[in-house]
């Protein structure tokens, strides 16, 4: 298989699997137990916590492990509003992940006011729109760093500054950015996920600036820093820590490799295909392409030895065209004629070339039949 779906998930790094193995087998103790084995597991989690914190790279905060980034984002939004006296507004973006947009919709149904800012044709926010939307009634501004569908990078530092001018908190979904691009100083809350950086699925984290901790979302024991309940998995925490440490150590090597892959893809430019999203403010491990009037779902079904997608893995089964592509001005028809290719650490240039050629050939075959 040629795996080009890195935005959906990344292959587990061998080093991560090795680090997790003892905690899956003989080191099975509950980390919240006072026994020697429990204390050993708790110490391993603390090491992992520091490794993830260092990979995030921000100052003045701490992290809490969660069951994934979806939980972290739900917690940040609901927990912040639960503590925001006199503030009932949320400002977010039309191209956010469903974990933010669906949570905002849920909150809207409970009386909160949600402003969903538009983006331009390149997928980027206009800072004047942010400035106009934020006022003293806004509790939280939620903006993704690197878009999971089209890879564009939003100006998180500037958005944080605008939020703070009115006393609002800034939530950054950095799931696609961790280990790939710098997370700017400014956010008060940052959600991350292990399986996007060659770690295990089922674990994420919420970084919280001191004083910005949200009210608990899950109750039942307060095992995690007293504000998140549930028994932690030492294996998953250690895996996240190992993946974060590896991402930090390999940061430059991974960036250089992705840049070479991007240049390979660019030099193999396919006629008539267009790139969705900004070409200049973009993470280069994401290539979203459109060829009008082609059924890309059929290409995915035909080219089963290539793993790629139409867009977000979380929404691809809904049958609805991508809300991100519609937000940048694509018609429903063109949104359904777009593909997302994601590549990274374990992708080769030869795989990129072969996949692009096969996908293009499948598209041309469709056009030939249509003609």
């Amino acid at each position: 298989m040629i795996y080009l779906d890195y935005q959906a998930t990344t292959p587990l790094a061998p080093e991560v699997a090795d680090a997790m193995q003892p905690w899956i087998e003989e080191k099975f103790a509950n980390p919240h137990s006072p026994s020697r084995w429990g204390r050993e597991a708790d110490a391993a989690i603390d090491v992992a916590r520091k490794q993830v914190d260092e990979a995030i790279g921000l100052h003045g905060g701490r992290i809490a492990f969660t069951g994934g980034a979806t939980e972290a984002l739900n917690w940040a939004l609901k927990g912040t509003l639960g503590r925001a006296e006199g503030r009932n507004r949320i400002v977010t973006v039309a191209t956010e992940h469903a974990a933010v947009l669906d949570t905002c919709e849920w909150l809207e149904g409970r009386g909160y006011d949600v402003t969903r800012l538009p983006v331009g044709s390149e997928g980027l926010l206009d800072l004047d729109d942010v400035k106009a939307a934020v006022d003293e009634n806004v509790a939280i501004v939620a903006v993704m760093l690197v878009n999971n569908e089209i890879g564009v990078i939003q100006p998180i530092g500037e958005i944080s500054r605008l939020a703070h001018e009115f006393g609002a908190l800034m939530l950054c979904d950095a799931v696609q950015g961790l280990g790939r691009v710098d997370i700017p100083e400014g956010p008060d809350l940052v959600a991350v996920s292990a399986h996007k950086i060659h770690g295990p699925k089922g674990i994420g984290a919420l970084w919280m600036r001191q004083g910005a901790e949200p009210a608990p979302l899950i109750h039942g024991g307060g095992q995690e820093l007293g504000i998140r309940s549930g028994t932690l998995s030492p294996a998953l925490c250690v895996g996240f820590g190992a993946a974060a440490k590896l991402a930090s150590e390999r940061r430059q090597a991974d960036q250089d490799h992705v840049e070479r892959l991007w240049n390979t893809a660019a030099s193999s430019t396919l006629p008539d295909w267009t790139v969705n999203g900004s070409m200049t403010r973009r993470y280069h491990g994401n290539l979203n392409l459109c060829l009008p009037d082609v059924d890309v779902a059929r290409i995915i079904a035909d080219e089963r030895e290539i793993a790629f997608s139409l867009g977000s893995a979380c929404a691809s089964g809904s049958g609805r065209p991508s809300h991100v592509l519609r937000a940048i001005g694509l018609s429903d028809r063109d949104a359904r004629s777009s593909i997302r290719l994601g590549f990274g650490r374990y992708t080769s240039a030869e795989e990129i070339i072969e996949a692009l050629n096969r996908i293009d050939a499948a598209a041309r075959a469709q056009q030939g039949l249509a003609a």
Side-chain angles (χ1 to χ4, degrees), residues 4-9 73 93-101 123 144-154 173-177 180 196 276 282-283 285-288 309-316 322-325 339-342:
L4 297 177
D5 207 11
Y6 269 56
Q7 276 72 52
T9 195
L73 291 164
V93 187
T95 52
E96 291 297 296
H97 190 278
V100 167
L101 294 179
M144 184 186 294
L145 175 58
V146 179
N147 188 269
N148 60 307
E149 292 199 30
I150 57 176
V152 299
I153 300 173
Q154 301 290 1
D173 173 352
V175 169
Q176 299 291 340
R180 296 170 177 170
K196 308 296 187 179
N276 294 322
R282 181 191 201 98
Y283 169 62
N286 173 299
L287 183 60
N288 196 300
S309 66
L310 285 75
S312 170
C314 302
S316 61
S322 161
H323 71 282
V324 173
L325 297 182
I339 61 172
R340 183 186 66 180
L341 304 178

Side-chain angles (χ1 to χ4, degrees), residues 28 31 63 83 88 96 100 116 174 186 207 209 226 250 320:
F28 55 83
I63 73 159
R83 287 186 170 171
N88 69 340
E96 291 297 296
V100 167
R116 300 167 182 84
W207 182 90
R209 191 175 300 284
R250 291 184 51 96
R320 296 172 296 182

Side-chain angles (χ1 to χ4, degrees), residues 9-326:
T9 195
T10 54
L12 188 72
E15 299 92 333
V16 173
D18 290 344
M20 293 176 65
Q21 196 62 43
W23 302 97
I24 294 171
E25 296 179 341
E26 68 268 19
K27 295 176 181 286
F28 55 83
N30 187 320
H32 313 296
S33 166
S35 70
R36 177 169 65 86
W37 296 277
R39 292 197 303 271
E40 181 185 17
D42 184 56
I45 289 172
D46 279 343
V47 171
R49 192 189 311 280
K50 291 182 178 67
Q51 290 169 329
V52 176
D53 190 30
E54 288 172 1
I56 290 171
L58 300 179
H59 303 93
R62 57 180 179 163
I63 73 159
F65 285 117
T66 64
T70 294
E71 180 195 330
L73 291 164
N74 270 259
W75 182 17
L77 288 164
K78 296 174 183 177
T80 294
L81 288 164
R83 287 186 170 171
E85 296 182 6
R87 292 175 179 259
N88 69 340
R89 290 191 58 221
I90 309 161
V91 174
T92 189
V93 187
T95 52
E96 291 297 296
H97 190 278
V100 167
L101 294 179
D102 287 0
T103 302
C104 286
E105 184 177 355
W106 184 87
L107 287 164
E108 203 169 29
R110 282 148 184 81
Y112 293 98
D113 180 35
V114 179
T115 298
R116 300 167 182 84
L117 297 176
V119 295
S121 60
E122 292 193 336
L124 298 170
L125 269 173
D126 186 329
L127 288 175
D128 286 339
D129 289 343
V130 180
K131 188 172 184 179
V134 181
D135 59 25
E136 63 276 358
N137 294 316
V138 173
I140 190 165
V141 178
V143 183
M144 184 186 294
L145 175 58
V146 179
N147 188 269
N148 60 307
E149 292 199 30
I150 57 176
V152 299
I153 300 173
Q154 301 290 1
I156 296 300
E158 291 87 342
I159 295 167
S160 298
R161 179 180 55 79
L162 292 172
H164 293 158
E165 283 183 6
F166 288 92
L169 296 184
M170 167 65 197
L171 166 62
C172 176
D173 173 352
V175 169
Q176 299 291 340
L178 180 65
R180 296 170 177 170
V181 302
D182 289 334
I183 301 174
E185 289 287 346
D188 304 285
L189 299 159
V190 178
V192 292
S193 176
H195 76 102
K196 308 296 187 179
I197 59 166
H198 305 285
K201 297 174 183 64
I203 183 164
L206 182 66
W207 182 90
M208 304 164 289
R209 191 175 300 284
Q210 186 174 359
E213 296 88 347
L217 177 66
I218 299 173
H219 300 86
Q223 289 93 334
E224 181 65 339
L225 307 182
I227 52 176
R228 192 267 185 183
S229 298
T231 301
L232 290 176
S233 164
L236 293 178
C237 293
V238 167
F240 195 174
K245 182 174 183 288
L246 193 62
S248 297
E249 293 171 345
R250 291 184 51 96
R251 173 74 178 273
Q252 192 59 56
D254 283 348
Q255 284 182 343
D256 292 345
H257 181 61
V258 165
E259 200 63 28
R260 287 192 293 270
L261 295 175
W262 173 266
N263 291 333
T264 296
S267 64
S268 305
T269 302
L270 306 176
D272 304 321
W273 291 82
T274 57
V275 177
N276 294 322
S278 171
M279 290 292 288
T280 56
R281 288 173 53 182
R282 181 191 201 98
Y283 169 62
H284 281 175
N286 173 299
L287 183 60
N288 196 300
L289 298 169
C290 176
L291 183 62
D293 300 324
V294 168
D295 182 356
V296 295
R298 181 175 159 192
I299 297 177
I300 290 174
D302 290 343
E303 295 295 333
R304 296 182 183 181
E305 293 180 359
I306 306 173
F308 63 103
S309 66
L310 285 75
S312 170
C314 302
S316 61
S318 68
R320 296 172 296 182
S322 161
H323 71 282
V324 173
L325 297 182
R326 284 185 294 169

